[in-house]
Amino acid sequence: MRSFSYERAASPGAAAAAAAGTANAKFIAGGTNLLDLMKLEIETPAHLIDVNDLALDRIEETADGGLRIGALVRNTDLAADIRVRRDYGVLSRALLAGASGQLRNKATTAGNLLQRTRCPYFYDTNLPCNKRKPGSGCAAIGGFSRQHAVVGVSDACIATHPSDMAVAMRALDAVVETVRPDGTTRSIPIAELHRLPGDSPEIETSLEPGELITAVVLPKPVGGAQAYRKVRDRASYAFALVSVAAIVQRDGTGRVALGGVAHKPWRVEAAEAKLPDGAKAVTARLFADAKPTKDNAYKLPLAERTLAAVLREARA
């Protein structure tokens, strides 16, 4: 373990200012991803800023009938909240599909959104990875790529985003609230939070240096039948090969977001107009620009079949 300094932040603004003013600083809350990466020396922060003492662990109703979820709300508490279970069922189901009960007890809302890829080449420091070491190359391209992205990829990276919660929040049109180092705040639509890899896969979000997530806001409930289905290699504690978050209204319209197929939660609003026509029509639009490898081409028909099953469940 490399040595590092440590402090406890007194306020969100102070935490952001400390992160911006200290070289190679990282925020730490639950630590369920960061600590593993530090042990492997993939992340080597010189300074850790503990944000657990900040009052960001509440779920509150907003004036327009939505919910504001504090950045430090634990995944277990969020999944169990009666308002989430009643009005945002797709989110509760997605959370319960992720990780293990022990990890959900520690993992936070903001940390879940910001967790890093589980690409095995990213985790193997003996192999090149543009996300871990920019410019070194991508070992997954030309390697064994069964778990990797099929859409939104680039010549620099084909990793996927691992979060289940983020997929549900993308379907719900959540908004991420932050504080910058200068104390100003901003709201980022979740569609704009995560980036596609392009030529700089090491830059994973639109957050500025030192910017701290303080809350995630869910809009007023949209109703409809909500479902989340995750296809994986084993029944628990496994990341998605393909996952589908869907909200379907009585008239057949709705929303669909996919996980396990891209560098970010994958939603194409134009594809949702095809929902009344069935899963095949929707996935044809979702994957119009897909570039699968020989190892992961199975994800395209798997996504179609998974969406078809979710639509049958929702319409029933």
Side-chain angles (χ1 to χ4, degrees), residues 16-39:
T22 308
N24 198 16
K26 293 284 184 181
F27 300 119
I28 185 166
T32 57
N33 188 207
L34 178 60
L35 293 179
D36 285 341
L37 295 174
M38 289 174 65
K39 291 173 185 177

mmCIF file of all heavy atoms in Angstrom, residues 16-39:
data_model
loop_
_atom_site.group_PDB
_atom_site.id
_atom_site.type_symbol
_atom_site.label_atom_id
_atom_site.label_comp_id
_atom_site.label_asym_id
_atom_site.label_seq_id
_atom_site.Cartn_x
_atom_site.Cartn_y
_atom_site.Cartn_z
ATOM 1 N N ALA A 16 -14.869 19.953 -1.956
ATOM 2 C CA ALA A 16 -14.554 20.239 -3.351
ATOM 3 C C ALA A 16 -13.306 21.107 -3.471
ATOM 4 O O ALA A 16 -12.454 20.874 -4.332
ATOM 5 C CB ALA A 16 -15.745 20.920 -4.021
ATOM 6 N N ALA A 17 -13.196 22.112 -2.603
ATOM 7 C CA ALA A 17 -12.027 22.995 -2.636
ATOM 8 C C ALA A 17 -10.755 22.233 -2.298
ATOM 9 O O ALA A 17 -9.703 22.442 -2.925
ATOM 10 C CB ALA A 17 -12.234 24.151 -1.660
ATOM 11 N N ALA A 18 -10.838 21.327 -1.319
ATOM 12 C CA ALA A 18 -9.663 20.539 -0.943
ATOM 13 C C ALA A 18 -9.236 19.621 -2.077
ATOM 14 O O ALA A 18 -8.044 19.450 -2.345
ATOM 15 C CB ALA A 18 -9.965 19.732 0.312
ATOM 16 N N ALA A 19 -10.202 19.036 -2.772
ATOM 17 C CA ALA A 19 -9.873 18.138 -3.879
ATOM 18 C C ALA A 19 -9.218 18.892 -5.021
ATOM 19 O O ALA A 19 -8.277 18.388 -5.655
ATOM 20 C CB ALA A 19 -11.139 17.436 -4.364
ATOM 21 N N ALA A 20 -9.702 20.095 -5.299
ATOM 22 C CA ALA A 20 -9.137 20.882 -6.390
ATOM 23 C C ALA A 20 -7.770 21.445 -6.027
ATOM 24 O O ALA A 20 -6.918 21.644 -6.904
ATOM 25 C CB ALA A 20 -10.081 22.021 -6.752
ATOM 26 N N GLY A 21 -7.545 21.691 -4.736
ATOM 27 C CA GLY A 21 -6.306 22.328 -4.308
ATOM 28 C C GLY A 21 -5.198 21.359 -3.931
ATOM 29 O O GLY A 21 -4.103 21.791 -3.560
ATOM 30 N N THR A 22 -5.466 20.067 -4.015
ATOM 31 C CA THR A 22 -4.477 19.057 -3.637
ATOM 32 C C THR A 22 -4.239 18.121 -4.810
ATOM 33 O O THR A 22 -5.188 17.558 -5.362
ATOM 34 C CB THR A 22 -4.955 18.240 -2.420
ATOM 35 O OG1 THR A 22 -5.345 19.126 -1.368
ATOM 36 C CG2 THR A 22 -3.863 17.312 -1.925
ATOM 37 N N ALA A 23 -3.007 17.948 -5.183
ATOM 38 C CA ALA A 23 -2.693 17.079 -6.313
ATOM 39 C C ALA A 23 -3.062 15.630 -6.020
ATOM 40 O O ALA A 23 -2.815 15.125 -4.914
ATOM 41 C CB ALA A 23 -1.202 17.174 -6.636
ATOM 42 N N ASN A 24 -3.691 14.998 -6.993
ATOM 43 C CA ASN A 24 -4.016 13.568 -6.920
ATOM 44 C C ASN A 24 -4.857 13.237 -5.684
ATOM 45 O O ASN A 24 -4.565 12.295 -4.945
ATOM 46 C CB ASN A 24 -2.744 12.722 -6.937
ATOM 47 C CG ASN A 24 -3.010 11.273 -7.299
ATOM 48 O OD1 ASN A 24 -4.074 10.937 -7.814
ATOM 49 N ND2 ASN A 24 -2.046 10.415 -7.009
ATOM 50 N N ALA A 25 -5.911 14.013 -5.464
ATOM 51 C CA ALA A 25 -6.810 13.772 -4.339
ATOM 52 C C ALA A 25 -8.046 13.019 -4.817
ATOM 53 O O ALA A 25 -8.483 13.156 -5.964
ATOM 54 C CB ALA A 25 -7.218 15.088 -3.689
ATOM 55 N N LYS A 26 -8.632 12.229 -3.917
ATOM 56 C CA LYS A 26 -9.845 11.478 -4.212
ATOM 57 C C LYS A 26 -10.808 11.591 -3.035
ATOM 58 O O LYS A 26 -10.392 11.638 -1.880
ATOM 59 C CB LYS A 26 -9.530 9.991 -4.435
ATOM 60 C CG LYS A 26 -8.717 9.688 -5.678
ATOM 61 C CD LYS A 26 -9.566 9.777 -6.932
ATOM 62 C CE LYS A 26 -8.781 9.371 -8.165
ATOM 63 N NZ LYS A 26 -9.589 9.484 -9.393
ATOM 64 N N PHE A 27 -12.109 11.623 -3.351
ATOM 65 C CA PHE A 27 -13.129 11.530 -2.317
ATOM 66 C C PHE A 27 -13.293 10.061 -1.930
ATOM 67 O O PHE A 27 -13.169 9.169 -2.769
ATOM 68 C CB PHE A 27 -14.476 12.057 -2.828
ATOM 69 C CG PHE A 27 -14.454 13.488 -3.273
ATOM 70 C CD1 PHE A 27 -14.756 13.824 -4.588
ATOM 71 C CD2 PHE A 27 -14.138 14.509 -2.382
ATOM 72 C CE1 PHE A 27 -14.751 15.144 -5.007
ATOM 73 C CE2 PHE A 27 -14.115 15.836 -2.792
ATOM 74 C CZ PHE A 27 -14.429 16.152 -4.109
ATOM 75 N N ILE A 28 -13.617 9.829 -0.652
ATOM 76 C CA ILE A 28 -13.927 8.473 -0.228
ATOM 77 C C ILE A 28 -15.162 8.486 0.653
ATOM 78 O O ILE A 28 -15.309 9.356 1.532
ATOM 79 C CB ILE A 28 -12.743 7.797 0.509
ATOM 80 C CG1 ILE A 28 -13.082 6.337 0.817
ATOM 81 C CG2 ILE A 28 -12.337 8.561 1.764
ATOM 82 C CD1 ILE A 28 -11.895 5.508 1.231
ATOM 83 N N ALA A 29 -16.080 7.571 0.395
ATOM 84 C CA ALA A 29 -17.289 7.412 1.214
ATOM 85 C C ALA A 29 -17.358 5.948 1.632
ATOM 86 O O ALA A 29 -16.703 5.532 2.574
ATOM 87 C CB ALA A 29 -18.525 7.842 0.432
ATOM 88 N N GLY A 30 -18.112 5.118 0.870
ATOM 89 C CA GLY A 30 -18.154 3.696 1.195
ATOM 90 C C GLY A 30 -16.852 2.983 0.876
ATOM 91 O O GLY A 30 -16.467 2.023 1.549
ATOM 92 N N GLY A 31 -16.174 3.433 -0.174
ATOM 93 C CA GLY A 31 -14.882 2.856 -0.540
ATOM 94 C C GLY A 31 -14.953 1.484 -1.176
ATOM 95 O O GLY A 31 -13.921 0.821 -1.339
ATOM 96 N N THR A 32 -16.143 1.038 -1.580
ATOM 97 C CA THR A 32 -16.284 -0.326 -2.078
ATOM 98 C C THR A 32 -15.564 -0.568 -3.397
ATOM 99 O O THR A 32 -15.238 -1.703 -3.730
ATOM 100 C CB THR A 32 -17.768 -0.700 -2.237
ATOM 101 O OG1 THR A 32 -18.400 0.238 -3.116
ATOM 102 C CG2 THR A 32 -18.485 -0.682 -0.895
ATOM 103 N N ASN A 33 -15.322 0.468 -4.171
ATOM 104 C CA ASN A 33 -14.563 0.353 -5.414
ATOM 105 C C ASN A 33 -13.164 0.931 -5.261
ATOM 106 O O ASN A 33 -12.169 0.313 -5.664
ATOM 107 C CB ASN A 33 -15.320 1.042 -6.539
ATOM 108 C CG ASN A 33 -14.712 0.827 -7.918
ATOM 109 O OD1 ASN A 33 -14.870 1.639 -8.813
ATOM 110 N ND2 ASN A 33 -14.022 -0.276 -8.132
ATOM 111 N N LEU A 34 -13.056 2.101 -4.657
ATOM 112 C CA LEU A 34 -11.772 2.791 -4.551
ATOM 113 C C LEU A 34 -10.734 1.974 -3.784
ATOM 114 O O LEU A 34 -9.579 1.873 -4.204
ATOM 115 C CB LEU A 34 -11.962 4.152 -3.882
ATOM 116 C CG LEU A 34 -10.684 4.972 -3.657
ATOM 117 C CD1 LEU A 34 -9.989 5.279 -4.976
ATOM 118 C CD2 LEU A 34 -10.993 6.262 -2.906
ATOM 119 N N LEU A 35 -11.114 1.386 -2.670
ATOM 120 C CA LEU A 35 -10.137 0.655 -1.865
ATOM 121 C C LEU A 35 -9.584 -0.549 -2.625
ATOM 122 O O LEU A 35 -8.388 -0.852 -2.538
ATOM 123 C CB LEU A 35 -10.765 0.211 -0.546
ATOM 124 C CG LEU A 35 -11.127 1.348 0.419
ATOM 125 C CD1 LEU A 35 -11.754 0.798 1.685
ATOM 126 C CD2 LEU A 35 -9.896 2.186 0.763
ATOM 127 N N ASP A 36 -10.435 -1.241 -3.361
ATOM 128 C CA ASP A 36 -9.945 -2.356 -4.183
ATOM 129 C C ASP A 36 -8.933 -1.862 -5.212
ATOM 130 O O ASP A 36 -7.894 -2.504 -5.441
ATOM 131 C CB ASP A 36 -11.104 -3.044 -4.901
ATOM 132 C CG ASP A 36 -11.933 -3.912 -3.975
ATOM 133 O OD1 ASP A 36 -11.433 -4.270 -2.886
ATOM 134 O OD2 ASP A 36 -13.078 -4.226 -4.339
ATOM 135 N N LEU A 37 -9.242 -0.741 -5.851
ATOM 136 C CA LEU A 37 -8.341 -0.204 -6.868
ATOM 137 C C LEU A 37 -7.026 0.281 -6.258
ATOM 138 O O LEU A 37 -5.968 0.185 -6.886
ATOM 139 C CB LEU A 37 -9.026 0.935 -7.618
ATOM 140 C CG LEU A 37 -10.245 0.531 -8.450
ATOM 141 C CD1 LEU A 37 -10.922 1.760 -9.041
ATOM 142 C CD2 LEU A 37 -9.859 -0.445 -9.550
ATOM 143 N N MET A 38 -7.081 0.788 -5.033
ATOM 144 C CA MET A 38 -5.857 1.200 -4.353
ATOM 145 C C MET A 38 -4.986 -0.010 -4.015
ATOM 146 O O MET A 38 -3.757 0.046 -4.135
ATOM 147 C CB MET A 38 -6.196 1.984 -3.089
ATOM 148 C CG MET A 38 -6.765 3.372 -3.359
ATOM 149 S SD MET A 38 -7.326 4.222 -1.855
ATOM 150 C CE MET A 38 -5.772 4.440 -0.975
ATOM 151 N N LYS A 39 -5.590 -1.091 -3.604
ATOM 152 C CA LYS A 39 -4.825 -2.297 -3.281
ATOM 153 C C LYS A 39 -4.099 -2.843 -4.504
ATOM 154 O O LYS A 39 -2.999 -3.396 -4.389
ATOM 155 C CB LYS A 39 -5.759 -3.356 -2.702
ATOM 156 C CG LYS A 39 -6.312 -3.007 -1.326
ATOM 157 C CD LYS A 39 -7.365 -4.011 -0.888
ATOM 158 C CE LYS A 39 -7.997 -3.604 0.427
ATOM 159 N NZ LYS A 39 -9.088 -4.531 0.841
#
